[in-house]
Amino acid sequence: MTRRRTLLAILGACLLAGCATQPVIQVAAGSPTASTTPTCPSTLPRTFPDVPGSAMVPGTPTIAAICRYAGTNDTAPDTLSQSATITGDRLRALVTGLNASRPFPSGAYNCPADLGLYDLIVFGYPSAGPVDVRVSVSGCTPVTNGHQTMRLDPDVFTEITTIVGESRH
């Protein structure tokens, strides 16, 4: 299946599930409190909060901020360049996709150029600290929570890009 057809299939499924109508949220009555609403750091963090359990994204987060950072070829590498906030069905689908990530295949394989472009996904929970997941936007697109590094499924990568937008590099 071509990348375009895959994207159309994801968007179609998303429309049927109602996630395409999920707006970027603002904190208001009935939504997560300011203390549980994740924010994007102005620069890409180099450390990760502790992650309980063995899942890439443990438990059931209620909100997530997707933070896009400039790459090594940009004038200000590792600085925040784009962001989006998600909840609801779109968040659940993203968590499911990240938790289904697989190990890298054994043996030698080729990857596109790694330009140092990263997305940081900060998951917020109603009664726990945040969980960070870092996605490489270039190269072999590994995904890590600081304790495990996996291979990101291309469909999940496409969904993240759909949410936060294309890289501006």
Side-chain angles (χ1 to χ4, degrees):
M1 184 178 273
T2 67
R3 190 169 191 110
R4 182 176 177 176
R5 287 175 48 199
T6 300
L7 178 59
L8 289 173
I10 290 170
L11 291 174
C14 196
L15 283 171
L16 290 174
C19 58
T21 59
Q22 293 291 327
V24 172
I25 68 144
Q26 301 294 324
V27 176
S31 57
T33 64
S35 62
T36 63
T37 301
T39 59
C40 293
S42 60
T43 58
L44 182 67
R46 295 292 171 203
T47 60
F48 292 85
D50 227 5
V51 178
S54 61
M56 184 64 67
V57 182
T60 308
T62 55
I63 189 169
I66 302 177
C67 318
R68 169 83 34 95
Y69 292 89
T72 54
N73 291 335
D74 293 311
T75 56
D78 295 338
T79 58
L80 184 64
S81 62
Q82 296 161 242
S83 65
T85 306
I86 61 169
T87 61
D89 291 338
R90 201 164 215 184
L91 173 61
R92 284 186 286 283
L94 180 60
V95 169
T96 299
L98 288 168
N99 285 339
S101 297
R102 317 175 294 288
F104 280 92
S106 60
Y109 50 92
N110 293 319
C111 295
D114 186 343
L115 304 174
L117 295 162
Y118 291 98
D119 287 344
L120 178 68
I121 308 171
V122 184
F123 294 93
Y125 298 82
S127 59
V131 169
D132 292 353
V133 172
R134 185 181 303 160
V135 177
S136 177
V137 178
S138 57
C140 281
T141 63
V143 58
T144 184
N145 63 8
H147 299 284
Q148 59 180 321
T149 300
M150 307 293 275
R151 180 178 176 194
L152 187 64
D153 182 276
D155 292 341
V156 177
F157 178 82
T158 299
E159 178 63 10
I160 292 169
T161 300
T162 300
I163 294 167
V164 78
E166 292 286 334
S167 293
R168 297 181 208 146
H169 63 275

